[in-house]
Amino acid sequence: MSLFTRRTFIALAATLAVSSAFPVSANTPDWPTAPIRFIVPSSAGGGADTVARLLAQHVGESLKQSIIVENRPGGSGVIGSNALLSAPADGYTFLLGFTTMSQLPATTSTKLPYDPKADFIPVSLVARSTNVLMSSRSNIDADSVDSLVSALKADPEKYSYGSYGNGSTGHFLGAQFNEVTNTDAQHVPYKGAAPMMVDLLGGVVSFAFPDIGSALPHLESDRVRALAVTGEKRMASLPDIPTMQELGYSGFNLGAWFGLFAAKGVPDAIVQTMAKEVADAIATPEVNSKLTGMNLDPVGSNSEFFTEFYHRDLQLWADLADKADIRTD
């Protein structure tokens, strides 16, 4: 994902600072005249729900119109996605999607009821996150990524990596780690991050790539070590932990993200207006600090940037799923 380098994001931020980043929306003087819906394809209380409600409050205030957050969990995001596509394409329904929208098409052999590229309009990339490579002190003697690789190569059948489910980001990153380092650690899937972290702390699995939120509470533990982070830059909350890229392991840029989508057919002027509203909200100190407090990297982009990002992300997940034979059904 070399396209999305640190320099790219700096350039994007500079672009967003000027009005030319978003076309003037003079064609939508009557929008919105009714409440808007933000559909969240997951349960209330989760990360996507929190992000959606934060944006709904600030964007709604700016548009002088209420934004209702509607949780539609289930089907790995398919139920929520279908809810968006079943609504009129009039600019009154949006989807606060996340990484599953790239992962599911890559890992399922079941035909989806929609075309991820053709049926969704990426409106704005809201925020990105990262994962932490952590090793279990009681399971494997590794205080660096290089020593982890050496241990795995010395005894290929002894070690394993945990993930929070088949087809999850942690599964992809573990498979990618095996490929990049020419190792063969066994994958152990769990039903969520919490049980995976329990077994990583207990030495049942050797290493894992938990999301930053799951990793942070255990960084001071004497039972695990944080070896590296994924993504293009170091985390502000982990300034002393290097990136995989810094250590010479390229390609570990796949990670979590949140973004706002519209359905195909929504007028472009409405898409551009909503993108600007989202970016403006994210630029406020209150929203920015809250996203950062969730261990997210705030972005706030125009539709063109997010479209390029999303289409590239779809391809990257698909390529890795094929190489590692990652399937969820």
Side-chain angles (χ1 to χ4, degrees), residues 13-29:
T15 302
L16 293 177
V18 297
S19 61
S20 60
F22 296 91
V24 176
S25 304
N27 294 329
T28 59

Side-chain angles (χ1 to χ4, degrees), residues 90-217:
D90 55 7
Y92 287 90
T93 305
F94 295 85
L95 177 78
L96 196 289
F98 44 92
T99 327
T100 302
M101 292 183 69
S102 293
Q103 294 171 329
L104 184 61
T107 60
T108 183
S109 56
T110 302
K111 183 174 175 58
L112 295 173
Y114 48 76
D115 183 330
K117 267 191 175 183
D119 292 338
F120 299 101
I121 300 175
V123 177
S124 180
L125 180 60
V126 174
R128 299 183 68 185
S129 187
T130 192
N131 292 68
V132 184
L133 172 56
M134 303 185 80
S135 65
S136 171
R137 290 175 180 264
S138 62
N139 182 289
I140 191 167
D141 184 18
D143 58 5
S144 67
V145 178
D146 285 346
S147 61
L148 174 62
V149 173
S150 296
L152 295 175
K153 287 184 175 181
D155 200 342
E157 298 182 0
K158 182 179 180 181
Y159 302 110
S160 60
Y161 72 92
S163 81
Y164 32 96
N166 283 316
S168 66
T169 303
H171 183 188
F172 272 95
L173 289 170
Q176 187 175 21
F177 187 85
N178 277 343
E179 180 189 1
V180 169
T181 61
N182 195 30
T183 53
D184 195 28
Q186 180 182 357
H187 173 226
V188 181
Y190 291 84
K191 293 182 179 180
M196 181 200 74
M197 289 303 301
V198 169
D199 274 6
L200 180 66
L201 289 161
V204 177
V205 292
S206 311
F207 67 98
F209 283 88
D211 61 274
I212 182 67
S214 299
L216 276 177

